[in-house]
Amino acid sequence: MLTLYVGNKNYSSWSLRGWFVAKLSGAPFREVGVQLVGRGRNPANRGFSPSGFVPALQDGDTVVWDSLAICETVNERYVAGTLWPADADARAQARAVSAEMHSGFAALRNDMTMC
C-alpha cells in the first residue's frame, strides 16, 4: 500500500497536489499528516523525505519526494497513464502548463500559497 506524507492541505498546495492525484487515482493509500514548520526544510521529515519537504510518497522501497514526480508516479503505476489527456497535443500542453506552475510564478506562489 502507498503511504503519502502530507502537510495541512489548507496551507500546503504542494501536499494538496500529491493528495489529489492519489485520491483521483483510486489507489489505496495511507495518509500521514505532518506538522508544517515555517517555509523551509524540516529536518524531522528526513526519515521519510530525502528533501525534508512534503509531500512524499512511499511505494514499497521507492520514495518520491516531489509533488509533480508523485503525480507522474501514481499516473504511471496505478492508472496506466490515463490522468493526462489522450490526445498527444493536448497532453503536451497540459504537461507544459503543469511544469510552468510547478517551477514558475515564484512571487505568486510565495505571496498566495494556495493559488
Side-chain angles (χ1 to χ4, degrees):
M1 178 191 281
L2 298 170
T3 301
L4 182 63
Y5 297 88
V6 296
N8 183 320
K9 295 182 296 283
N10 289 326
Y11 301 106
S12 172
S13 64
W14 305 105
S15 291
L16 182 61
R17 293 170 202 176
W19 176 86
F20 181 71
V21 167
K23 195 75 162 168
L24 185 62
S25 77
F29 70 97
R30 180 173 69 105
E31 180 181 338
V32 177
V34 175
Q35 182 69 39
L36 296 174
V37 180
R39 291 182 180 247
R41 298 175 196 274
N42 184 351
N45 295 349
R46 296 257 185 211
F48 60 82
S49 174
S51 69
F53 288 116
V54 291
L57 178 74
Q58 184 173 4
D59 186 3
D61 292 335
T62 301
V63 176
V64 184
W65 60 92
D66 173 84
S67 61
L68 193 53
I70 288 169
C71 293
E72 289 288 358
T73 299
V74 170
N75 185 49
E76 257 179 27
R77 294 183 178 190
Y78 295 96
V79 292
T82 60
L83 295 179
W84 287 116
D87 177 76
D89 291 338
R91 192 168 54 251
Q93 187 172 15
R95 283 187 168 133
V97 169
S98 298
E100 184 177 19
M101 186 61 213
H102 187 69
S103 63
F105 306 108
L108 176 65
R109 287 187 292 112
N110 186 56
D111 294 341
M112 303 179 76
T113 57
M114 289 302 290
C115 287

